[in-house]
């Protein structure tokens, strides 16, 4: 069974590591990535690599990604 939780359940900015850990500890297997969804933030390759490391560490997979709803890059 796939159980998914949104990554912005406490905040949609800042470091998501602690939230990912809590999501995994609560028994979820997948996340809906919503971090920075309401900004024009674009992840650098190094940030994507760090996110992958956290997902691997906590045994999580990405099920869905929220499109940007920022001022310039509103792709919702």
């Amino acid at each position: 069974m796939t159980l998914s939780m949104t990554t912005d359940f406490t905040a949609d900015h800042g470091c998501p590591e602690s939230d990912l850990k809590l999501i995994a500890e609560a028994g979820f297997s997948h996340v809906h990535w919503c971090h920075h969804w309401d900004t024009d933030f674009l992840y650098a390759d190094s940030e994507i690599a760090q996110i992958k490391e956290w997902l691997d560490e906590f045994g999580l997979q990405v099920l869905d990604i929220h499109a940007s709803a920022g001022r310039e890059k509103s792709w919702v």
Side-chain angles (χ1 to χ4, degrees), residues 9-10 16-28 58 60:
F9 76 99
T10 62
E17 181 181 13
S18 61
D19 288 343
L20 293 173
K21 183 177 182 196
L22 289 173
I23 290 168
E25 288 174 348
F28 292 93
F58 300 128
L60 296 169

Side-chain angles (χ1 to χ4, degrees), residues 7-58:
T7 60
D8 67 345
F9 76 99
T10 62
D12 62 3
H13 57 281
C15 181
E17 181 181 13
S18 61
D19 288 343
L20 293 173
K21 183 177 182 196
L22 289 173
I23 290 168
E25 288 174 348
F28 292 93
S29 57
H30 291 71
V31 294
H32 171 84
W33 193 267
C34 290
H35 236 65
H36 303 109
W37 72 271
D38 65 345
T39 70
D40 288 326
F41 189 88
L42 294 176
Y43 293 102
D45 289 343
S46 60
E47 291 166 317
I48 293 169
Q50 178 61 72
I51 291 166
K52 182 183 181 327
E53 284 182 31
W54 288 326
L55 293 170
D56 290 346
E57 177 182 347
F58 300 128

